[in-house]
Amino acid sequence: MKYVTLLFVVFALSLNTLLAQTGSIRGKITDTETGDVLAGATVFVIGTYKGGYSDQQGNFRIDGLKPGDYAIKFSFIGYSEKIYSGTSIIAGATQTLDVQLTSTITTLGEIEIVGERLIDLESGQSSSKIGEDELAEISVKNIQEVVAMQAGVSENPDGVQIRGGRVYETEYLVDGINAQDPLAGTGFGVDVNANAVKNVEVITGGSDAEFGNGSSGVILTRIKEGGRAFKVNGSYSRDNLGFNTNQGPSWNTDEASVSISGPIIPKRLTFFASGSMFLSDNFFGPTAQQLHSSLFTNDSLWAPRQDNRWSNTLKLAWFIRPGVKLTVTNQHSLNINQSTRSLQIIGNDAVVRPGFQFSHSLNLDNANTYTHNSNLTVANLRGILGNQWSFDLTLGRLFTNLRADANGRPFREETVDQIYDPASIVTNPISVFNPSSDAVFVFPGPGLFNNDGIATLWHDHYAEEYTFKTKFTFESKDKVHYMSMGIEHKEQEYQWIDVTRPWVGAPIRINETLTTPSTSLGRSSDFWKVNPTTGGLFFSDEIQYKGIIAVLGLRMNYWAPGKFADEAVEDPIAPVLDQTRIDYQEETFGLVGKRWKARLLPRLRVSFPVTENNVLYFNYSHAMRLPHPRFVYAGLDPVYQDRSFLSNLGNPNINPEVTVSYEVGLKTQLTKDLALTATAFYNDKFDYIVSRRVEVKDPTGRFVEKTFFINQDYARIRGLELGFTRKIGKSFTGTLSGSYQIATGKSNTAAESALQIRQQGFVNTTKEQFLAWDRPFDLKLLLIFTPDSTVYFRNVPLRGFRITMSSTFKSGLRYTPYQLIRVNENSGRPEYEPIQDQPFSNVGAPWFWTNLIVSRDFFLGKGRKLSLSVELENLTNYQSSAIVNGVTGRAWQEGDDLPLSFRDPRYPDPQDNGTPPNNPARYLTPRHILLGAQFAF
């Protein structure tokens, strides 16, 4: 026993001595082109407090490093930073690392990373950056798909949401310029195909002061540039193989993309061009015979299916001289479909609702068709001004147009000679109820529109934005301060035309010669054309001192509603509330002929190592989102007035919605192949927009009731996020992320507060409720297997195979629970009613899907490659509920009880007037199989 004890003591002392030993790193720093030594260059071990400088001979040495894997950063004034990731330090040994730095004149200050970095220990942001190589491995089709894979991002039927915010609260930039339709409210505006993306960065917390209109997060997309060699890439995939039918794992889908890049003038001018196509009839079943758009004449070319998406990209890069580069990008996209989610009025529409027009499914040729046409042009000039200054000048133009019409029909005919209102009518054979009694009732129609009526909405809007943005950066000689400052200014023009039942008030043909005069433009309408101005001044200073990094930022956003609002406030005939006129004059200031408002948005970000490769960070920031223009301008024109009951009335003095964010997190790199992140956040949102009923005078002097918009609601989102990334050898990478959050607030939409008034006579001002888009749990798994020539399976080399699997498991949609009130004595139907004081308190059946892509590369030599792939979306064919039955908490299944307000096919009722419960959009996408081929040379 004594010998065992002595042996244990010796082993413990030896282990302690081994762990106490440290390693060192040394080397020499030189210029890449000349080979000259760089004296005084900075060497810093990221994730620690250790660093140093090179001596007069360019040599450096850092001692006292605990064994482990580190990222070493090298920097020198006038040269780009270089990071060696995964540098291993061994106890008692000295690692040699000779480094060559490249002048910023050649690289324009871009950071060069040697090796693979799983986590950025320097950044105090919660962000993820995906490069073109990883985009190719996971085989995503567009930016929305890759964004939805990131921690803190939730994909809902109404779009992509970041950390419990609404869809529209995310700032979406392409090459530094806004690419989001400010009027559609869909979150994304200009579609970018993945084959055109160099990298995409998703910032969910701690964004810089440079970004000023994303109150939940920022999505940065950078378009590819051409290189020194000529390259051609393409892909094609489809699901209809001729023997399988629509409604199965195939629904007539074709996808194709092609890109060409290369030099125009070697080393001076390059180009990149790409195009993509996505055509599908979707999985719902019913389709229109042909989609039509009143914006285009050749519908069979641009809209052969139910969902038609086109995009093309062109980017030129001109190296004017060493250290100065000009790029010009044009990104165009065209979407034609029948999804109502193409247009969702920000903050006003019902949330989390599928876009399939089920009511029109018996005749989709009469349903609304949406045409979304977007074009973005960006010119960017980057350059180096000496050794410490650089500049970035960007000019951009965004034009986006959305038209919704009754499948290509004109606004309205010259005269009305038929019934246009869609309806569900009784058809033969007529079914009767209670036939043995004297009182016989006829059962209603099917609940779906089955007459010749057409869609009731006619909508057209366009937005044109001209953006000027400039940023200057300064780096101090001691590398302690990295400052950036600049301005972003936008001149905008918005036009909005919104008409419901446009045939109402049109001339009516009585006979061949007599018609009635025109009386109004539809049942309700809204028209305005405005020219607002927005922008911001920003400044930030990144201070680095012995491993501690603090970023102090401040942004001042300014905005002017424009001449339309200014004149409405001053015009005594315009329907503006008297108090609004007073507040507008007092809370705005005059400058260059416009009335302006401004708001300061502070930012603070701090990170510091707690132990080697363990970095703690904290973020505090203010962000804002300007209200949808409809809340500002609706109904203000003194001439064109919507005379429908409770028509919308804009508020020129309405303020932006504001988010104050707090975040604390820990980033850990255990080894060069293993990284962990943990984050806790709290977002306080206020000045959400709500609606109220007010009385104003119309141009005739008559008092009328209007729906008016003010800032009053608030919301709170708090949550936790965990991330785990593991790399095994050179072939396997796995990423697991999970989040838990709770989103509560006063109401979900501006319309909901008005509904509370109508139902209860008052608005709840104190009690919070769960928000409809709150999804408490969200788990994501991504596995990528790319074996090299050393990996075999039973003596068969696996080089060339690539397997990508992504899985998502998340909480279902929130819903208001229903309770059983009674069982109808006559029909036997159980009658359920909502529990009014528990709105959205329950969480529906969870969502789950797994996507699998298996591909095989065939290398044809000299950079040529052909790949064949099989893609399975929703591999397990799990049915995720997109429309929740409040009685069961899942999508309706045959035999389920339904709320009393819903049509139940088991209990026919002469008073039924709702749609049937078998909407095919009640489930998310079923299993989908695509076979594809890709080529590169």
Side-chain angles (χ1 to χ4, degrees), residues 178-182 190 375-377 396-400 463-465:
N178 171 52
Q180 186 179 51
D181 187 335
V190 181
N375 192 285
L376 177 68
T377 302
R397 175 188 180 268
L398 170 68
F399 180 84
T400 181
E464 188 171 26
E465 290 186 350

Side-chain angles (χ1 to χ4, degrees), residues 546-561:
K546 293 184 177 181
I548 300 176
I549 302 176
V551 181
L552 307 176
L554 182 66
R555 182 181 177 97
M556 185 187 75
N557 272 1
Y558 58 83
W559 65 96

Side-chain angles (χ1 to χ4, degrees), residues 29-38 78-79 99-103:
I29 306 174
T30 59
D31 183 291
T32 300
E33 297 182 358
T34 66
D36 296 338
V37 299
L38 300 179
Y79 288 78
V99 179
Q100 294 180 326
L101 298 183
T102 305
S103 171

Side-chain angles (χ1 to χ4, degrees), residues 525-572:
S525 60
D526 190 14
F527 303 86
W528 35 265
K529 183 178 180 180
V530 297
N531 295 91
T533 301
T534 62
L537 302 168
F538 58 90
F539 172 83
S540 68
D541 184 11
E542 181 177 310
I543 305 169
Q544 301 185 20
Y545 180 72
K546 293 184 177 181
I548 300 176
I549 302 176
V551 181
L552 307 176
L554 182 66
R555 182 181 177 97
M556 185 187 75
N557 272 1
Y558 58 83
W559 65 96
K563 184 178 178 181
F564 182 88
D566 294 345
E567 291 181 347
V569 170
E570 296 174 357
D571 188 348

Side-chain angles (χ1 to χ4, degrees), residues 139 141 234-244 249-257 852-856 867-873 927-934:
S139 298
K141 312 252 183 341
S235 65
Y236 174 75
S237 59
R238 70 173 310 176
D239 61 358
N240 192 335
L241 306 179
F243 56 85
N244 51 346
S250 160
W251 43 85
N252 198 21
T253 298
D254 289 272
E255 304 176 20
S257 67
L852 178 67
I853 303 174
V854 180
S855 63
R856 175 70 165 93
S867 304
L868 300 178
S869 64
V870 179
E871 180 176 356
L872 295 94
E873 298 177 353
R927 183 187 293 120
H928 190 200
I929 302 175
L930 290 160
L931 298 184
Q934 303 81 37

Side-chain angles (χ1 to χ4, degrees), residues 389-658:
W389 286 89
S390 63
F391 70 91
D392 197 324
L393 173 64
T394 307
L395 301 175
R397 175 188 180 268
L398 170 68
F399 180 84
T400 181
N401 179 211
L402 176 63
R403 168 72 58 83
D405 52 36
N407 200 21
R409 292 171 176 82
F411 171 71
R412 71 182 181 191
E413 303 292 344
E414 294 183 3
T415 59
V416 175
D417 57 2
Q418 69 178 69
I419 295 176
Y420 288 100
D421 289 89
S424 174
I425 61 176
V426 178
T427 58
N428 286 320
I430 297 177
S431 298
V432 296
F433 177 72
N434 201 21
S436 60
S437 172
D438 294 336
V440 178
F441 300 94
V442 176
F443 282 120
L448 306 175
F449 301 143
N450 59 355
N451 66 338
D452 292 329
I454 63 176
T456 59
L457 173 66
W458 198 95
H459 174 90
D460 184 272
H461 76 244
Y462 76 80
E464 188 171 26
E465 290 186 350
Y466 289 91
T467 302
F468 167 80
K469 183 177 180 180
T470 183
K471 182 175 74 170
F472 291 90
T473 58
F474 171 79
E475 188 176 14
S476 63
K477 291 184 178 180
D478 57 5
K479 299 287 185 179
V480 173
H481 294 275
Y482 184 85
M483 291 182 285
S484 63
M485 62 211 75
I487 182 173
E488 180 181 23
H489 183 83
K490 296 180 182 179
E491 293 290 338
Q492 302 154 318
E493 181 172 278
Y494 301 153
Q495 178 175 287
W496 180 276
I497 303 173
D498 204 39
V499 183
T500 301
R501 288 183 166 85
W503 50 85
V504 175
I508 299 176
R509 178 176 296 174
I510 299 175
N511 53 43
E512 294 297 328
T513 59
L514 182 62
T515 60
T516 63
S518 177
T519 59
S520 66
L521 293 176
R523 176 181 175 273
S524 63
S525 60
D526 190 14
F527 303 86
W528 35 265
K529 183 178 180 180
V530 297
N531 295 91
T533 301
T534 62
L537 302 168
F538 58 90
F539 172 83
S540 68
D541 184 11
E542 181 177 310
I543 305 169
Q544 301 185 20
Y545 180 72
K546 293 184 177 181
I548 300 176
I549 302 176
V551 181
L552 307 176
L554 182 66
R555 182 181 177 97
M556 185 187 75
N557 272 1
Y558 58 83
W559 65 96
K563 184 178 178 181
F564 182 88
D566 294 345
E567 291 181 347
V569 170
E570 296 174 357
D571 188 348
I573 301 179
V576 179
L577 296 178
D578 292 339
Q579 189 60 47
T580 301
R581 299 179 194 272
I582 297 172
D583 293 342
Y584 189 77
Q585 295 295 333
E586 292 180 350
E587 297 176 14
T588 61
F589 60 92
L591 185 67
V592 295
K594 297 181 179 180
R595 305 295 299 180
W596 301 79
K597 282 189 175 185
R599 189 181 191 100
L600 291 176
L601 305 171
R603 310 281 173 90
L604 172 64
R605 191 167 75 237
V606 180
S607 64
F608 56 91
V610 288
T611 60
E612 283 77 3
N613 283 336
N614 291 274
V615 174
L616 185 69
Y617 65 94
F618 168 78
N619 292 316
Y620 169 77
S621 67
H622 286 226
M624 56 165 271
R625 182 72 178 193
L626 288 170
H628 189 281
R630 189 186 191 193
F631 296 142
V632 181
Y633 306 109
L636 294 183
D637 193 296
V639 177
Y640 297 101
Q641 288 287 303
D642 181 0
R643 303 184 185 279
S644 63
F645 179 66
L646 286 179
S647 58
N648 291 325
L649 177 63
N651 180 0
N653 197 48
I654 203 165
N655 289 318
E657 298 173 341
V658 178

Side-chain angles (χ1 to χ4, degrees), residues 816-837:
T816 300
Y818 281 68
Q819 60 184 350
L820 180 64
I821 302 300
R822 69 184 68 85
V823 177
N824 190 290
E825 295 180 357
N826 296 322
S827 66
R829 175 178 177 173
E831 297 182 353
Y832 294 85
E833 292 184 355
I835 305 177
Q836 297 289 354
D837 61 347

